[in-house]
Amino acid sequence: MLQVPFIRENKEAIITALKKRNIDAQADLNAIISIDVKRRSTQAALDFLRSEMNVASKKIGELFKSGNAAEANELKNGVSAQKAEEKSLADDLNSFNEQLQELLYKIPNIPNDLVPAGSTEDDNEEVFSEGEVPTLFDGALPHWELAKKYDIIDFELGTKITGAGFPVYKGKGARLQRALINYFLDKNTAAGYIEHQVPHLVNEASGFGTGQLPDKEGQMYHVGIDDLYLIPTAEVPVTNFFRDNLVNESELPILCTAYTPCFRREAGSYGAHVRGLNRLHQFDKVEIVRVEHPKNSYAALDGMVDHVKEILQELKLPYRILRLCGGDLGFTSALTYDFEVFSTAQDRWLEISSVSNFETFQANRLKLRFKDKEGKKQLAHTLNGSSLALPRVLAGILENYQTPEGIKIPEVLVPYTGFDMID
RNA sequence: GGAGAAAUGGCAGAGUGGUCGAAUGCGGCAGUCUUGAAAACUGUUGAGGGUCACACCUCCGGGGGUUCGAAUCCCUCUUUCUCCGCCA
């Protein structure tokens, strides 16, 4: 969420920047500014009236104490008469605040200068790639076939007990998942991220804090009876740790990591792209979250990108890094790098990580501030990234490491799996 | 799930209708003293809105109500604690 004073002072620049998202924000920004003017004048009028009433009330108390009941009663009638006006002004103010809030929720974050223009994922800019795409032998299979052949993932069983998109991992498949989780968490904690285990359901306020609500209700599973949401990512509980926090500058940066399952309804997805592990309703992910000083947030973003790179290098998977274009950029993000691993048997790239700087956009919603050296309060910057999303990493390993004899395990994972081959 | 008690500033904890945004202690910050630190002493120290700056307004778990006036009274929700029941 953008701040109103910022909008007031930078309207034209915001309109220009949001064009990269293919959004014309002019009308909404104008509405915000004019409602804010009304809001402030109403607030001033209300404050003035209340001040009068407060003075009179205090006087009434003094008059009663000094036994001057007649005069006190007269004043009382005067204040009573003002109450209707007070209520009307307060209602107006409330309504302006609500209108303002609603409009502010509609405006996405301002893209960073580096964000390329564009409307679809085809316009994303490749900024880095590494690792050789292996030439597969004759008879190489896509991961869902491999999963069946080696009996390590049972999609049908998941469908039976829950529904499509909820696979069951078995035997060495389950063990490999657990190995990946442990490996990722170890990498993250070695880099200074503090490991957390968090609730997998969150309340409505948390959904608002990170920007899933309003508008994206349909993406999350909602437990109606208790009004809780299943988390679509650990970003939601972890970033909301800091909701309504005022921290000391010296506490920054704050680095957290958490492994959680993630639940996504993925309404509207269909076809070959949801095959196998490509798109699931429940999947595992290890997340990293940072709360940063605004001065450091872009250096931190680069650091997170390097961190994820290192993991992929160790796994020896072919991957590339994309800088998302305006049209593909998430609502709350100012700059996002996507990591994609190459799925050899499918001959396509699969997104396995998304690393973003939200600048103050989430912090403003969260009321996450820090006190600087002068004692001034500033919004902090929040960032997060996946390190990594499990299913597609697993798909990448299965497909790229397959041999006629079986699936080799990346060397770095062997200490975690306890075996070096799935056969 | 049932019964009872409670929720106040970073923390602890006073405050039961007006002079309370709130005593006191701890903590934090600044200073005095000290070679430096500690101790001691002095001062300072909640948040939001609003203003050029003041003024002023709002906030004592959330929401609503009574009253000229609410931290204080009433209703409701949430959370915490104690006891009982159930339970991994």
Side-chain angles (χ1 to χ4, degrees), chain A residues 177-197:
Chain A
Q177 282 265 110
R178 181 151 61 90
L180 282 165
I181 293 164
N182 285 335
Y183 164 64
F184 294 153
L185 283 171
D186 284 353
K187 290 296 289 183
N188 295 346
T189 52
Y193 294 89
I194 307 299
E195 183 174 347
H196 293 76
Q197 290 198 11

Side-chain angles (χ1 to χ4, degrees), chain A residues 31-50:
Chain A
I32 286 169
I33 290 169
S34 81
I35 290 169
D36 183 55
V37 169
K38 288 192 240 171
R39 187 205 116 231
R40 279 183 294 153
S41 66
T42 306
Q43 174 91 62
L46 179 62
D47 286 359
F48 182 76
L49 182 64
R50 279 181 171 162

Side-chain angles (χ1 to χ4, degrees), chain A residues 269-283:
Chain A
S269 300
Y270 57 90
H273 285 192
V274 304
R275 206 118 185 235
L277 296 170
N278 289 347
R279 189 175 295 279
L280 300 170
H281 288 305
Q282 178 183 329
F283 64 95

